[in-house]
Amino acid sequence: PLDQADQTHPHFTNLHHALRLARQQLARKGAQNKQIFIITDGQPTAHLTTSKAGPGSEILNLIYPPSEASAEATLEEAFRCSQQGIRISSFALIEEYCGMDWVGFVDQLTRLVRGVAFYCTAGDLGSTIMESYLAGKREKRPLG
């Protein structure tokens, strides 16, 4: 159960839940320009499902190696964000070439939500975020 998640191993990537929480938080804000920044070093390895007890009682699914179920749940939530006018920017931390096999998920997410993705090392993250911010200030593009 989700309420027992603090008892689990910390090395899972639950983008599904993170996107849901961000979408819910942004829904309460009146700002016109809403954006989510995803900084990740892997594809989703966790997602939530509703338990048989009904709404409000969710199960945290921790799955390694990554599963299609976690990817699909994450992409569905990202699409909900996009439908609500929330822009998504992804920063994929690529430390070694061997880690490149999971960037297909980031590419799929970016295409689905018409977002942007940046690929960098952890050491270059700060400058990459700054470059993306400055480029966005110069090139205003409508969402959609």
Side-chain angles (χ1 to χ4, degrees):
L2 182 58
D3 62 0
Q4 296 174 17
D6 60 344
Q7 301 169 17
T8 64
H9 195 279
H11 298 290
F12 285 89
T13 304
N14 193 348
L15 291 175
H16 172 241
H17 194 206
L19 286 169
R20 180 191 297 172
L21 292 173
R23 179 178 53 81
Q24 291 170 344
Q25 186 74 7
L26 289 170
R28 292 191 283 268
K29 306 294 180 188
Q32 287 185 335
N33 296 320
K34 298 177 182 182
Q35 185 159 358
I36 295 171
F37 292 95
I38 296 172
I39 301 172
T40 185
D41 64 352
Q43 63 193 38
T45 52
H47 67 282
L48 300 177
T49 54
T50 304
S51 77
K52 293 179 181 174
S57 56
E58 294 181 299
I59 301 297
L60 174 60
N61 300 275
L62 303 173
I63 306 169
Y64 193 85
S67 75
E68 192 63 33
S70 291
E72 287 178 14
T74 302
L75 292 172
E76 287 172 9
E77 188 59 44
F79 188 69
R80 283 187 204 94
C81 292
S82 178
Q83 287 180 316
Q84 292 183 11
I86 301 169
R87 190 180 301 262
I88 297 177
S89 298
S90 302
F91 295 85
L93 302 180
I94 308 292
E95 298 302 326
E96 298 177 14
Y97 184 75
C98 63
M100 301 284 287
D101 61 341
W102 63 268
V103 299
F105 173 79
V106 174
D107 291 340
Q108 187 178 9
L109 170 74
T110 302
R111 281 191 309 274
L112 177 70
V113 300
R114 297 182 182 176
V116 293
F118 301 90
Y119 303 89
C120 61
T121 64
D124 293 333
L125 180 61
S127 60
T128 303
I129 290 173
M130 184 56 73
E131 286 174 31
S132 73
Y133 171 76
L134 293 174
K137 296 291 272 184
R138 289 189 296 265
E139 300 173 23
K140 296 284 184 189
R141 289 182 285 143
L143 183 65

